Amino acid sequence: MNNTTFFRVSLFLVLLITVAGCRKKPKSMTPIPGGPGSIVGGSSEPAGLIDFSNGGGSGGAGNGFNSDLGNGASLMGDEFPNGSDVNFSDNNGNGAGGNALPDRNRIAGASEDRETLAAYTVFFDYDRFSIRTEELAKVEAVADFLAAETSAMVKIEGHCDERGTEEYNRSLGERRALSVREVLVRLGIAPDRVTTESWGEDRPAVEGENEGAYRKNRRGEFVILRQ
Amino acid sequence: MRIEKLGPALQTLCSLLALVAYSANGLAQNEINLDRFQSSVDPVPIQLEGYQGSVLQILSFDLEVMGWEVVPVGKGQYSLIGDNQGGVRGRLVDRLGGGATLFSRQYSSGSVRQQAHALANAVVEQVFRQKGIAHTKIAYKSRASGGFPEIYVSDFDGYRSQTITRDESNVAAPAWVPGQLKLFYTSYKLRNPDIFSHDLKTGRRVAVSRYSGLNTSAAITSDGRRMAMILSKDGSPDLYVSAINGSGLKRLTKTREEEACPCWSPDGSQICFTSAAGGGARLYLIDGNGGTMRRLRAAGASGVYSEPDWSPDGRWIAFTALMGRQFQICVVAAGGGEATVLTQGEDPSWAPNSRNIVFMRKKNGRKILSILDVPTKRVKDVPLIMGNSSQPAWAR
């Protein structure tokens, strides 16, 4: 309990230093529903879809993955023979530097929990990636959660509304996710616990061509990763 | 793929006939000057006599895409007379030029579809002295309702579409290796957006860029040796180049803001791309080996610029500008200057003739592919492609 208190105070100090002037209410850390350690509803979506034939465990770069382009001879026709193999070139390393993203082998095979932090989705202004002041409390709460559940990692999924082109939005979505990640790191979360994934405009939260829909689609979602 | 398929004897005959026709007629008057696209050029009226069914349909589509307008008999400046009983036959007559026959051709090998495309190309090449695009292919992303987005390849007119991926996750940004049946694209198959190369002849594919974070928007040089792409592994989405197998990676930009959508100049010396570094998203040029980012001036357009595509002849850059609430396809000289708004839509990709552009537009809430003829500004929708389709890439 003392440790937790100490951690909260430290977090608060870090936050004051880094985002001084941005916050209206200092005591705005929103508690996680049920509190840290008593998470309910953590759905463990199976990894599905991904068929690593030698697993995604530690060390291995996942060789031997086969993409089955199917045995549909008619689909591949004479110009596109069957039997595609996926071979990995060996470039899974990360660039040097304190803010480099975590090694992918660390999250291979992790289960995804999209429920627990669903209420903490961060929303963005149009064509912007900075975190709005009123959204900061959500990131703080997630930092708080990660500080308590030390074995969990988090993936931030960056999304955009459709008022950008697909590839521009894929970059913008990643930039948004990285902005959220930067705040988590400033709040004391180890960089190698936070990963990002951009979906651009490909997975809108709501359909619709109006500002109400756009506002809900410009977002960063938190997905807890557990081994 | 082209006339080679028709057999050497016929090919020689065709060349001879074409040669005779060229020398018999001054053709320059019908050449389309691309510089004139600010005020659009009128399509050339042609009448089709004696064709039926799919051949008539193919000839009409191909010719109308490439700067012609099919008109009723009696109204055409040119007349294409023939039939499709057995092989496709065609005689091109210049009705304003005293009824001179410009060529007479008969196709015997290949499918009827290929024969009709070859005849359409022949008309274009005869009169405009530009290579036809009727035998070309496009790659694109498409999602059937309720399904996953996958990469497809089809003829430029949407026929003979083939599924390239069955990754059941998400895909993006197909890009051809120029002159080869080989694609690069992004797939989320490995729980991350990664860049794959995919040889369509052998079916072999390789994950060439699978760093942590974003790997996307691959673009390959004309010589097929180098790749430009967007990676975020170092903390921000930046522009990188490497060999096409991913080796020799070099970071070209180091901005905090996002970069996106690189394309190469045809000579492989420069990259045009989008960056938000100056505030809003604008187009920039950078040397393919690195250096300073230079803003590409595109006066007259406004809003968010992205998706540049350099014309194969090196002269133009087409791009998408979000102006107000509308996406517009624009074009600007490769050295920068006054931009011209061409038509509503997104994600332009030049055909090998540097004249046509395939792009995506919204129609009744659905994303469809359309083809623009830049000089005439005519737009025709690509038929047959179902679902939501986007990010077309013209093989060239």
Side-chain angles (χ1 to χ4, degrees):
Chain A
M1 198 59 191
N2 275 343
N3 276 350
T4 313
T5 311
F6 173 74
F7 203 83
R8 281 175 181 257
V9 170
S10 313
L11 265 183
F12 178 56
L13 284 175
V14 170
L15 196 76
L16 260 189
I17 293 159
T18 52
V19 293
C22 296
R23 299 180 55 213
K24 285 173 285 184
K25 295 177 184 173
K27 197 68 187 165
S28 63
M29 284 185 195
T30 316
I32 300 290
S38 59
I39 302 303
V40 285
S43 79
S44 302
E45 287 276 291
L49 302 184
I50 314 300
D51 42 353
F52 285 97
S53 55
N54 68 344
S58 58
N63 282 310
F65 167 83
N66 285 303
S67 98
D68 53 339
L69 285 181
N71 27 17
S74 59
L75 277 161
M76 302 314 284
D78 46 2
E79 283 168 289
F80 306 104
N82 293 325
S84 303
D85 292 326
V86 172
N87 296 293
F88 293 141
S89 51
D90 184 25
N91 65 357
N92 194 28
N94 284 305
N99 214 13
L101 291 163
D103 190 311
R104 285 169 60 170
N105 290 321
R106 289 202 54 187
I107 56 168
S111 69
E112 295 191 347
D113 171 359
R114 299 179 165 274
E115 308 298 320
T116 303
L117 299 177
Y120 298 87
T121 295
V122 175
F123 295 99
F124 292 85
D125 287 335
Y126 169 63
D127 202 24
R128 292 284 179 273
F129 59 82
S130 53
I131 314 283
R132 294 201 302 248
T133 311
E134 67 268 26
E135 299 294 298
L136 270 172
K138 296 175 182 172
V139 190
E140 294 163 26
V142 172
D144 205 27
F145 168 85
L146 288 169
E149 193 175 323
T150 52
S151 63
M153 291 176 66
V154 71
K155 174 172 74 172
I156 304 153
E157 287 186 354
H159 299 270
C160 304
D161 69 29
E162 62 179 28
R163 286 178 305 160
T165 58
E166 282 190 46
E167 285 308 283
Y168 176 71
N169 276 341
R170 209 171 307 283
S171 285
L172 177 60
E174 181 73 3
R175 183 55 265 185
R176 285 177 174 162
L178 288 163
S179 294
V180 177
R181 181 174 182 269
E182 286 168 9
V183 176
L184 285 175
V185 170
R186 283 209 303 267
L187 290 170
I189 305 304
D192 65 359
R193 294 178 64 197
V194 189
T195 187
T196 57
E197 184 174 43
S198 176
W199 288 83
E201 65 183 83
D202 291 343
R203 286 196 175 172
V206 291
E207 299 287 346
E209 298 185 16
N210 54 72
E211 181 50 38
Y214 298 153
R215 194 182 305 124
K216 291 173 183 156
N217 290 335
R218 299 186 297 260
R219 69 203 194 275
E221 294 185 1
F222 295 100
V223 181
I224 303 168
L225 304 176
R226 294 189 185 90
Q227 288 295 340
Chain B
M1 285 298 268
R2 316 192 80 85
I3 300 174
E4 300 89 85
K5 287 214 165 166
L6 303 175
L10 185 61
Q11 203 180 331
T12 313
L13 184 65
C14 289
S15 312
L16 268 175
L17 281 169
L19 198 66
V20 170
Y22 274 133
S23 50
N25 190 43
L27 297 157
Q29 66 198 33
N30 276 315
E31 272 187 61
I32 298 288
N33 182 358
L34 268 181
D35 294 320
R36 287 182 55 205
F37 60 55
Q38 302 228 15
S39 57
S40 55
V41 170
D42 286 335
V44 180
I46 187 169
Q47 56 194 55
L48 302 177
E49 300 179 53
Y51 299 101
Q52 292 159 3
S54 66
V55 171
L56 178 62
Q57 194 189 352
I58 293 163
L59 287 172
S60 302
F61 183 86
D62 288 5
L63 290 171
E64 292 200 333
V65 160
M66 293 187 276
W68 300 79
E69 182 165 18
V70 175
V71 295
V73 172
K75 308 257 184 194
Q77 182 180 342
Y78 292 84
S79 183
L80 186 62
I81 306 156
D83 59 64
N84 47 289
Q85 310 302 317
V88 175
R89 290 195 294 181
R91 185 162 63 88
L92 182 64
V93 172
D94 181 358
R95 297 183 70 237
L96 293 189
T101 293
L102 301 182
F103 70 62
S104 186
R105 290 186 185 177
Q106 179 164 9
Y107 299 91
S108 56
S109 63
S111 67
V112 166
R113 171 160 291 279
Q114 283 173 318
Q115 293 178 10
H117 283 317
L119 182 56
N121 273 348
V123 172
V124 169
E125 285 158 21
Q126 175 70 42
V127 178
F128 295 161
R129 309 193 79 164
Q130 285 177 334
K131 230 168 161 48
I133 44 105
H135 280 311
T136 55
K137 287 188 178 296
I138 54 173
Y140 52 95
K141 167 181 177 174
S142 189
R143 181 172 60 83
S145 73
F148 292 96
E150 303 287 1
I151 302 289
Y152 293 78
V153 165
S154 74
D155 291 352
F156 90 106
D157 60 0
Y159 281 79
R160 302 198 303 160
S161 86
Q162 295 176 294
T163 314
I164 302 304
T165 61
R166 285 188 190 165
D167 288 354
E168 300 188 340
S169 52
N170 192 23
V171 293
W176 292 92
V177 179
Q180 296 180 35
L181 269 177
K182 194 173 183 185
L183 281 178
F184 281 63
Y185 53 78
T186 304
S187 173
Y188 287 61
K189 176 83 178 175
L190 306 177
R191 295 178 81 178
N192 195 72
D194 300 313
I195 299 172
F196 291 80
S197 72
H198 193 144
D199 187 324
L200 302 184
K201 280 185 178 163
T202 63
R204 183 172 185 266
R205 70 171 180 169
V206 179
V208 292
S209 185
R210 52 183 302 262
Y211 295 98
S212 299
L214 188 61
N215 306 256
T216 196
S217 304
I220 312 299
T221 50
S222 300
D223 65 9
R225 297 170 69 170
R226 299 182 76 201
M227 167 168 63
M229 70 209 132
I230 303 298
L231 307 178
S232 71
K233 69 188 186 70
D234 295 311
S236 182
D238 275 301
L239 174 65
Y240 293 73
V241 290
S242 74
I244 56 158
N245 66 1
S247 67
L249 187 71
K250 184 175 181 183
R251 184 178 180 182
L252 297 195
T253 65
K254 289 188 177 173
T255 64
R256 177 166 162 72
E257 295 78 13
E258 68 276 12
E259 271 73 46
C261 314
C263 70
W264 290 93
S265 62
D267 66 2
S269 69
Q270 293 185 85
I271 299 167
C272 183
F273 62 101
T274 297
S275 173
R282 289 289 183 273
L283 300 181
Y284 291 81
L285 295 170
I286 195 167
D287 193 284
N289 296 313
T292 318
M293 294 167 51
R294 312 179 305 280
R295 181 90 172 261
L296 177 74
R297 199 170 69 86
S302 62
V304 177
Y305 301 174
S306 61
E307 302 175 334
D309 191 45
W310 213 306
S311 67
D313 66 7
R315 297 172 64 201
W316 307 103
I317 291 172
F319 62 97
T320 307
L322 179 58
M323 299 169 71
R325 293 191 153 268
Q326 294 295 342
F327 288 102
Q328 302 283 357
I329 307 286
C330 301
V331 68
V332 66
E338 203 72 31
T340 304
V341 177
L342 295 173
T343 189
Q344 273 185 23
E346 297 175 50
D347 209 345
S349 174
W350 287 99
N353 62 2
S354 296
R355 165 177 182 135
N356 290 110
I357 286 174
V358 63
F359 65 100
M360 180 273 277
R361 70 187 186 105
K362 284 264 190 81
K363 189 178 184 182
N364 304 326
R366 204 163 71 85
K367 291 176 173 179
I368 64 164
L369 303 184
S370 296
I371 295 174
L372 168 70
D373 180 49
V374 172
T376 61
K377 291 192 181 174
R378 295 285 173 111
V379 169
K380 284 186 84 74
D381 296 338
V382 178
L384 289 187
I385 294 174
M386 301 298 158
N388 275 285
S389 299
S390 61
Q391 301 198 306
W394 211 314
R396 56 185 194 226

